[in-house]
Amino acid sequence: MDAHGPHGPYTTIMAVEYNGGVILGADSRTTTGVYVANRASDKITQLTDNVYLCRSGSAADTQVVSDYVRYFLNQHTIQLGREATVKTAATLVKELAYQNKSFLQAGMIVAGWDKYDGGSVYAVPLGGTLLRLPFATGGSGSSYLYGFLDQAWRPHMSKDEAERFVVKSIALAIARDGASGGVVRTVTVNEHGAERNFFAGDKLPLFHEEIPPGRNSLLA
Amino acid sequence: MSSIGTGYDLSVTTFSPDGRVFQIEYATKAVDNSGTVVGIKCKDGVVLGVEKLIPSKMLLEGSNRRIHAVHKHAGMAVAGLAADGRQIVARARSEASQYLSFYGEDIPIKELCDRVARYVHLCTLYWWLRPFGSATILGGYDRDGPQLYMIEPSGVAYRYFGAAIGKGRQAAKTAIEKLKLSEMTCREGILAVAKIIYEVHDEAKDKAFELELSWVCDESNKQHQRVPADLLEEAKAAAKAAKDALDEDEGMDAD
């Protein structure tokens, strides 16, 4: 076991636009090699009151980037006299990611709500591209989701529909990706603010050949 | 109005006993002696106008522009030393461009004004720099609507409904105050600004002048641009007619 090995991009993160805001979702497993270093980590970080960030890749890199961006946005908000837009937050994340591309291993998704563009999702993958999308996914678990998202995503979902959609997607990724697991955390951001939610293993939908959770013999 | 600051006016880093920095006041004199520059904020945009004095008949028409585009949504009219003004505009353009690169959005006009004012003020703090001998009127249109700012050589900047600098500023300010700006559209504003500039132009002291007009308003799609040629001609004609009528009236009174 190599506790000092790379904490890889082994994760599932996503964000979707819905009718009135955005929903960010992530799994909670952090691994070093095959050891699960943290089974309840929080990969969704707050940048401002109205903008959140999903982090995948090197935890250290993404934490530092999000700290810098939070600092810049804080100053920017004070100087501007109003809350920063999601586009500005995403541009700042992109600047750091692109200008330091040779040092960083960070795949991030910036999502939030502002009064000019409503709910917006911006993907900033490795290399520092900035891409606005109606939905985005990242991390190792994302590979298993592209087809599902292409088929199942629809515009103008309601809040509940969108949340179920996100939870189902992460659960699907957790089912197949060994590096993703634990619980599903979601953050919903709209004009009323931001709301965190948490779905423990037994609340997640089950798929093909998954064993239902419940008491096992050791606990009896 | 003018006072001699003997001994206290040699450096911009020296205060006079009554708390004045004479070098900055002298810089302002350079602005006061230049052609009039006028800016007004109408209900749907901003209009900038310049009385560009033509020192020589050999100058090509339209050269030595005094109104400059700073960004898509903002422009600046310059009074005072032209070369100094060019530097200020260059800095404004650079600030606007960098803001867009860094934040992904167009710079808010208030922020642009703050940055330019800070730069102008910076040049009043060191003995090895001289203050800018020019003032600029900044007009722009952003998410908070149309705005008009003026930045003076001291680095002070205020937001205005109407502003005037240069030779004819007193008369221009009086004329602006008579306008009902909150009800005026930019189309009407163009005619008003042209009239004011023709009015304050002193034909005895200065010879020829060229009128430069620009606007940023709903009609121009919130972009800063020179007033279209046909509107410019219309404004010039109306202004000239008004001036001629005024001169006639004065002629009659003299009799």
Side-chain angles (χ1 to χ4, degrees):
Chain A
M1 176 185 75
D2 180 14
H4 301 291
H7 296 241
Y10 307 124
T11 247
T12 309
I13 51 171
M14 68 183 287
V16 306
E17 252 183 60
Y18 75 91
N19 185 18
V22 293
I23 305 203
L24 300 93
D27 75 308
S28 69
R29 178 175 289 186
T30 314
T31 50
T32 21
V34 296
Y35 174 67
V36 177
N38 187 350
R39 64 184 170 100
S41 54
D42 182 7
K43 303 181 189 180
I44 308 179
T45 314
Q46 181 178 27
L47 294 180
T48 68
D49 289 343
N50 57 315
V51 182
Y52 279 72
L53 174 76
C54 290
R55 302 182 290 108
S56 77
S58 153
D61 287 352
T62 55
Q63 280 172 14
V64 156
V65 167
S66 77
D67 285 348
Y68 268 117
V69 173
R70 194 177 310 121
Y71 167 68
F72 289 140
L73 283 174
N74 190 22
Q75 296 205 310
H76 182 62
T77 304
I78 291 169
Q79 202 155 18
L80 206 60
R82 57 167 176 259
E83 65 180 17
T85 61
V86 188
K87 188 172 188 193
T88 299
T91 306
L92 290 170
V93 171
K94 176 269 288 177
E95 272 302 294
L96 286 170
Y98 178 73
Q99 301 294 352
N100 298 292
K101 59 161 78 195
S102 48
F103 305 113
L104 295 175
Q105 200 181 43
M108 294 168 286
I109 301 176
V110 182
W113 184 93
D114 60 60
K115 66 179 185 219
Y116 304 110
D117 284 322
S120 341
V121 172
Y122 290 86
V124 185
L126 258 48
T129 323
L130 178 63
L131 196 54
R132 181 171 179 192
L133 296 163
F135 60 90
T137 181
S140 56
S142 68
S143 317
Y144 307 103
L145 293 181
Y146 289 113
F148 171 68
L149 292 177
D150 282 344
Q151 197 260 355
W153 183 84
R154 283 167 301 106
H156 309 302
M157 283 189 273
S158 73
K159 180 158 97 103
D160 291 330
E161 270 183 285
E163 189 167 60
R164 275 198 303 275
F165 177 66
V166 168
V167 172
K168 184 174 181 185
S169 310
I170 307 281
L172 277 169
I174 288 175
R176 287 291 181 179
D177 179 28
S180 301
V183 303
V184 175
R185 293 192 195 275
T186 64
V187 174
T188 307
V189 190
N190 52 33
E191 65 179 305
H192 306 297
E195 200 186 294
R196 270 193 179 276
N197 225 334
F198 162 87
F199 298 85
D202 54 354
K203 295 284 183 310
L204 300 180
L206 290 169
F207 305 108
H208 179 55
E209 282 185 353
E210 285 197 287
I211 302 168
R215 294 181 153 281
N216 65 35
S217 54
L218 286 177
L219 285 175
Chain B
M1 197 170 77
S2 60
S3 50
I4 304 171
T6 321
Y8 302 112
D9 61 347
L10 296 174
S11 162
V12 77
T13 53
T14 307
F15 277 100
S16 75
D18 51 351
R20 294 154 73 172
V21 183
F22 279 102
Q23 279 296 309
I24 296 180
E25 296 188 18
Y26 296 161
T28 311
K29 293 227 173 59
V31 176
D32 293 341
N33 292 336
S34 101
T36 315
V37 175
V38 165
I40 56 171
K41 174 178 117 59
C42 308
K43 69 175 177 193
D44 64 337
V46 170
V47 178
L48 302 174
V50 177
E51 172 207 14
K52 190 172 77 183
L53 299 168
I54 302 176
S56 154
K57 284 199 173 54
M58 301 302 278
L59 280 175
L60 192 67
E61 191 185 325
S63 66
N64 294 85
R65 294 225 178 268
R66 299 270 295 282
I67 301 186
H68 306 269
V70 168
H71 203 61
K72 286 197 300 293
H73 62 325
M76 256 179 170
V78 162
L81 300 178
D84 287 15
R86 215 177 15 244
Q87 268 296 85
I88 298 177
V89 169
R91 179 73 185 208
R93 286 174 176 161
S94 162
E95 294 279 4
S97 166
Q98 279 183 1
Y99 186 100
L100 179 60
S101 287
F102 196 64
Y103 293 105
E105 290 181 332
D106 289 336
I107 187 168
I109 310 297
K110 179 175 192 308
E111 183 65 27
L112 177 60
C113 172
D114 278 350
R115 304 254 177 130
V116 174
R118 197 171 304 165
Y119 178 63
V120 169
H121 175 244
L122 186 81
C123 300
T124 66
L125 294 172
Y126 303 102
W127 63 266
W128 38 266
L129 275 179
R130 68 166 173 77
F132 282 106
S134 61
T136 53
I137 296 189
L138 166 68
Y141 203 139
D142 65 18
R143 280 176 174 152
D144 295 320
Q147 290 152 69
L148 180 71
Y149 293 92
M150 178 162 81
I151 302 140
E152 298 167 24
S154 59
V156 144
Y158 290 117
R159 189 171 165 186
Y160 292 91
F161 295 110
I165 38 181
K167 280 189 194 160
R169 68 187 175 287
Q170 301 286 38
K173 279 188 214 168
T174 320
I176 292 173
E177 277 166 29
K178 296 202 184 109
L179 300 173
K180 289 204 177 65
L181 291 171
S182 56
E183 294 161 21
M184 212 184 247
T185 63
C186 276
R187 273 207 169 224
E188 295 159 349
I190 288 174
L191 299 171
V193 167
K195 232 169 88 173
I196 291 174
I197 291 191
Y198 269 79
E199 225 175 85
V200 305
H201 174 69
D202 190 338
E203 263 156 13
K205 289 201 190 132
D206 308 307
K207 296 169 205 154
F209 81 101
E210 198 186 304
L211 174 69
E212 259 187 71
L213 276 180
S214 79
W215 65 354
V216 53
C217 56
D218 292 337
E219 216 183 302
S220 75
N221 226 339
K222 301 184 187 170
Q223 316 248 5
H224 176 260
Q225 52 178 223
R226 287 186 193 293
V227 162
D230 53 340
L231 286 175
L232 182 62
E233 288 314 311
E234 193 189 312
K236 279 186 188 169
K240 236 170 150 271
K243 171 114 188 191
D244 289 340
L246 203 68
D247 285 343
E248 251 182 51
D249 282 346
E250 284 177 353
M252 278 166 65
D253 283 349
D255 289 341

